Amino acid sequence: MTAPTIPDRELVERTIAGDRDAFGDLVRRFQDPLYRYGRTLGLDHDTALDLVQDACVKAFERLAQCHDPERVRAWFFRIFRNTVLDWAKNIRRTEIRLLEVDEPPDLYDLAEQQALRATLGVALASLPSILREAFLLHHHLGHSHEEIAETAGVTVSAVKMRVMRARDLLRRRLEPELDEVTRGASRSSQG
């Protein structure tokens, strides 16, 4: 039997009361999702780890400013996002490139999958950054529209519009490629 998970609110309250182990539990709870978010933003492995650590230090220093401990997950993501944006400004980058996320290789038709992944990566990279961010947070990391709105500092309706526009743009950009893949698959099954 596994131990019951302590609610985020309780961990925040314990941390503010001086329990550093409670903050360690929060960090363990959020560090992997923050890392994956950083990778979807185009950070390399080491930079993503460093910025997650920086964001966690900032979160610890500012935890008393978290007005709604029930939503501490979105609060952590907002701090991390701002940390990434500050990092990008400091190294004079205008946009963070989208890098391919490390995935284990699939033995079945690896070349075709790599080509499709590269096509998807190019399509995602061609999206405006605010659309790409909303799309990846929602579809890749599973965040709710409300959490994304809080992270990005915009309204829920703006997030919904961004996700929808990103999907529409991706669909339009990928249709010719998917049609080609479909035609190629039907030719090989006939041959």
Side-chain angles (χ1 to χ4, degrees), residues 98 103 113-127 132 135-136 140 170-171 173-174 177-178:
L98 178 70
E103 293 180 20
Q113 287 184 10
Q114 287 176 332
L116 190 56
R117 195 173 316 145
T119 300
L120 179 58
V122 168
L124 281 167
S126 72
L127 292 176
R132 182 176 59 241
F135 180 85
L136 289 171
H140 184 65
L170 284 172
R171 187 176 295 118
R173 290 179 180 157
L174 292 173
E177 297 292 330
L178 294 176

Short mmCIF file of all heavy atoms in Angstrom, two decimals, residues 98 103 113-127 132 135-136 140 170-171 173-174 177-178:
data_model
loop_
_atom_site.label_atom_id
_atom_site.label_comp_id
_atom_site.label_asym_id
_atom_site.label_seq_id
_atom_site.Cartn_x
_atom_site.Cartn_y
_atom_site.Cartn_z
N LEU A 98 13.37 25.14 -30.95
CA LEU A 98 12.76 23.90 -30.51
C LEU A 98 13.68 22.75 -30.88
O LEU A 98 14.04 22.59 -32.03
CB LEU A 98 11.41 23.70 -31.22
CG LEU A 98 10.68 22.42 -30.90
CD1 LEU A 98 10.16 22.47 -29.46
CD2 LEU A 98 9.53 22.21 -31.85
N GLU A 103 13.86 10.56 -27.32
CA GLU A 103 12.92 9.46 -27.20
C GLU A 103 13.66 8.17 -27.57
O GLU A 103 14.56 8.18 -28.39
CB GLU A 103 11.75 9.63 -28.16
CG GLU A 103 10.87 10.81 -27.83
CD GLU A 103 9.70 10.95 -28.81
OE1 GLU A 103 9.37 9.96 -29.49
OE2 GLU A 103 9.16 12.03 -28.89
N GLN A 113 9.82 7.39 -39.38
CA GLN A 113 9.43 8.07 -38.15
C GLN A 113 10.30 9.30 -37.89
O GLN A 113 9.80 10.33 -37.45
CB GLN A 113 9.50 7.11 -36.97
CG GLN A 113 8.38 6.10 -36.99
CD GLN A 113 8.40 5.23 -35.76
OE1 GLN A 113 9.13 5.49 -34.81
NE2 GLN A 113 7.58 4.19 -35.77
N GLN A 114 11.60 9.18 -38.17
CA GLN A 114 12.49 10.32 -37.98
C GLN A 114 12.11 11.46 -38.93
O GLN A 114 12.14 12.62 -38.54
CB GLN A 114 13.94 9.91 -38.17
CG GLN A 114 14.47 9.09 -37.02
CD GLN A 114 15.88 8.58 -37.26
OE1 GLN A 114 16.30 8.39 -38.40
NE2 GLN A 114 16.61 8.37 -36.17
N ALA A 115 11.77 11.11 -40.16
CA ALA A 115 11.36 12.13 -41.12
C ALA A 115 10.08 12.81 -40.67
O ALA A 115 9.96 14.04 -40.74
CB ALA A 115 11.18 11.51 -42.51
N LEU A 116 9.13 12.03 -40.17
CA LEU A 116 7.87 12.61 -39.69
C LEU A 116 8.11 13.48 -38.47
O LEU A 116 7.56 14.58 -38.36
CB LEU A 116 6.88 11.48 -39.38
CG LEU A 116 5.45 11.89 -39.09
CD1 LEU A 116 4.87 12.71 -40.23
CD2 LEU A 116 4.60 10.65 -38.85
N ARG A 117 8.99 13.02 -37.56
CA ARG A 117 9.31 13.80 -36.37
C ARG A 117 9.99 15.12 -36.75
O ARG A 117 9.71 16.18 -36.20
CB ARG A 117 10.20 12.99 -35.44
CG ARG A 117 10.28 13.57 -34.04
CD ARG A 117 11.01 12.68 -33.08
NE ARG A 117 10.59 11.30 -33.25
CZ ARG A 117 11.40 10.26 -33.11
NH1 ARG A 117 12.64 10.43 -32.76
NH2 ARG A 117 10.97 9.04 -33.28
N ALA A 118 10.88 15.05 -37.73
CA ALA A 118 11.57 16.26 -38.19
C ALA A 118 10.57 17.22 -38.82
O ALA A 118 10.62 18.44 -38.59
CB ALA A 118 12.66 15.91 -39.19
N THR A 119 9.63 16.69 -39.59
CA THR A 119 8.59 17.53 -40.21
C THR A 119 7.75 18.20 -39.13
O THR A 119 7.45 19.39 -39.21
CB THR A 119 7.71 16.68 -41.15
OG1 THR A 119 8.54 16.12 -42.16
CG2 THR A 119 6.61 17.51 -41.77
N LEU A 120 7.37 17.43 -38.13
CA LEU A 120 6.59 17.99 -37.02
C LEU A 120 7.41 19.04 -36.28
O LEU A 120 6.89 20.10 -35.93
CB LEU A 120 6.15 16.88 -36.07
CG LEU A 120 5.34 17.33 -34.85
CD1 LEU A 120 4.08 18.07 -35.27
CD2 LEU A 120 5.01 16.14 -33.98
N GLY A 121 8.69 18.77 -36.05
CA GLY A 121 9.55 19.74 -35.38
C GLY A 121 9.65 21.04 -36.14
O GLY A 121 9.58 22.13 -35.56
N VAL A 122 9.78 20.95 -37.46
CA VAL A 122 9.84 22.16 -38.30
C VAL A 122 8.51 22.90 -38.22
O VAL A 122 8.48 24.13 -38.09
CB VAL A 122 10.19 21.79 -39.76
CG1 VAL A 122 9.98 22.96 -40.70
CG2 VAL A 122 11.62 21.29 -39.84
N ALA A 123 7.40 22.16 -38.29
CA ALA A 123 6.08 22.80 -38.22
C ALA A 123 5.89 23.49 -36.86
O ALA A 123 5.41 24.62 -36.80
CB ALA A 123 4.98 21.77 -38.47
N LEU A 124 6.27 22.82 -35.78
CA LEU A 124 6.16 23.43 -34.46
C LEU A 124 7.06 24.66 -34.34
O LEU A 124 6.65 25.69 -33.81
CB LEU A 124 6.53 22.42 -33.37
CG LEU A 124 5.46 21.41 -32.99
CD1 LEU A 124 6.05 20.30 -32.15
CD2 LEU A 124 4.31 22.07 -32.27
N ALA A 125 8.27 24.55 -34.85
CA ALA A 125 9.22 25.68 -34.76
C ALA A 125 8.74 26.87 -35.57
O ALA A 125 9.09 28.00 -35.25
CB ALA A 125 10.60 25.23 -35.23
N SER A 126 7.94 26.62 -36.60
CA SER A 126 7.47 27.73 -37.43
C SER A 126 6.31 28.49 -36.80
O SER A 126 5.96 29.57 -37.27
CB SER A 126 7.05 27.21 -38.82
OG SER A 126 5.84 26.47 -38.72
N LEU A 127 5.73 27.93 -35.75
CA LEU A 127 4.63 28.62 -35.07
C LEU A 127 5.18 29.81 -34.29
O LEU A 127 6.29 29.76 -33.77
CB LEU A 127 3.94 27.69 -34.07
CG LEU A 127 3.14 26.51 -34.60
CD1 LEU A 127 2.62 25.67 -33.43
CD2 LEU A 127 1.99 26.97 -35.47
N ARG A 132 3.10 28.18 -29.96
CA ARG A 132 3.86 26.95 -29.72
C ARG A 132 3.84 26.62 -28.23
O ARG A 132 3.60 25.47 -27.83
CB ARG A 132 5.29 27.09 -30.23
CG ARG A 132 6.13 25.84 -30.05
CD ARG A 132 7.52 25.95 -30.66
NE ARG A 132 8.27 27.03 -30.10
CZ ARG A 132 8.74 28.08 -30.78
NH1 ARG A 132 8.54 28.19 -32.07
NH2 ARG A 132 9.43 29.02 -30.17
N PHE A 135 0.36 25.39 -27.15
CA PHE A 135 0.10 24.06 -27.73
C PHE A 135 0.88 22.98 -26.98
O PHE A 135 0.32 21.95 -26.60
CB PHE A 135 0.49 24.06 -29.22
CG PHE A 135 0.27 22.73 -29.89
CD1 PHE A 135 -0.96 22.41 -30.41
CD2 PHE A 135 1.31 21.82 -30.01
CE1 PHE A 135 -1.18 21.17 -31.02
CE2 PHE A 135 1.11 20.59 -30.61
CZ PHE A 135 -0.14 20.27 -31.13
N LEU A 136 2.17 23.20 -26.74
CA LEU A 136 3.00 22.19 -26.09
C LEU A 136 2.61 22.00 -24.62
O LEU A 136 2.58 20.87 -24.13
CB LEU A 136 4.47 22.55 -26.20
CG LEU A 136 5.05 22.41 -27.62
CD1 LEU A 136 6.45 23.01 -27.69
CD2 LEU A 136 5.05 20.97 -28.08
N HIS A 140 1.31 18.43 -24.97
CA HIS A 140 2.49 17.61 -24.65
C HIS A 140 2.62 17.38 -23.14
O HIS A 140 2.93 16.28 -22.70
CB HIS A 140 3.76 18.26 -25.21
CG HIS A 140 4.99 17.46 -25.02
ND1 HIS A 140 5.20 16.24 -25.62
CD2 HIS A 140 6.10 17.70 -24.26
CE1 HIS A 140 6.37 15.76 -25.25
NE2 HIS A 140 6.94 16.61 -24.43
N LEU A 170 -0.84 24.10 -37.53
CA LEU A 170 -0.14 22.83 -37.68
C LEU A 170 -0.84 21.93 -38.69
O LEU A 170 -0.19 21.31 -39.53
CB LEU A 170 -0.01 22.11 -36.34
CG LEU A 170 1.03 22.65 -35.38
CD1 LEU A 170 0.92 21.96 -34.03
CD2 LEU A 170 2.43 22.49 -35.94
N ARG A 171 -2.15 21.88 -38.60
CA ARG A 171 -2.91 21.05 -39.53
C ARG A 171 -2.65 21.50 -40.97
O ARG A 171 -2.39 20.68 -41.85
CB ARG A 171 -4.41 21.13 -39.21
CG ARG A 171 -5.25 20.15 -40.02
CD ARG A 171 -6.73 20.20 -39.60
NE ARG A 171 -6.89 19.74 -38.22
CZ ARG A 171 -7.37 20.48 -37.23
NH1 ARG A 171 -7.74 21.72 -37.44
NH2 ARG A 171 -7.47 20.00 -36.01
N ARG A 173 -0.09 23.18 -42.15
CA ARG A 173 1.31 22.98 -42.53
C ARG A 173 1.65 21.50 -42.72
O ARG A 173 2.53 21.16 -43.50
CB ARG A 173 2.24 23.61 -41.51
CG ARG A 173 2.15 25.12 -41.58
CD ARG A 173 2.99 25.82 -40.60
NE ARG A 173 2.80 27.25 -40.78
CZ ARG A 173 3.03 28.14 -39.85
NH1 ARG A 173 3.47 27.77 -38.68
NH2 ARG A 173 2.82 29.42 -40.10
N LEU A 174 0.95 20.64 -41.99
CA LEU A 174 1.28 19.22 -42.05
C LEU A 174 0.45 18.44 -43.07
O LEU A 174 0.83 17.34 -43.45
CB LEU A 174 1.12 18.58 -40.67
CG LEU A 174 2.13 19.03 -39.62
CD1 LEU A 174 1.76 18.47 -38.25
CD2 LEU A 174 3.54 18.63 -40.00
N GLU A 177 2.33 17.04 -46.09
CA GLU A 177 3.25 15.98 -45.69
C GLU A 177 2.49 14.69 -45.37
O GLU A 177 2.90 13.61 -45.76
CB GLU A 177 4.06 16.41 -44.46
CG GLU A 177 4.96 17.59 -44.70
CD GLU A 177 6.10 17.30 -45.65
OE1 GLU A 177 6.55 16.14 -45.70
OE2 GLU A 177 6.52 18.22 -46.36
N LEU A 178 1.39 14.83 -44.64
CA LEU A 178 0.61 13.65 -44.27
C LEU A 178 -0.03 13.02 -45.49
O LEU A 178 -0.13 11.79 -45.58
CB LEU A 178 -0.43 14.01 -43.22
CG LEU A 178 0.14 14.44 -41.87
CD1 LEU A 178 -0.97 14.88 -40.93
CD2 LEU A 178 0.95 13.33 -41.25
#
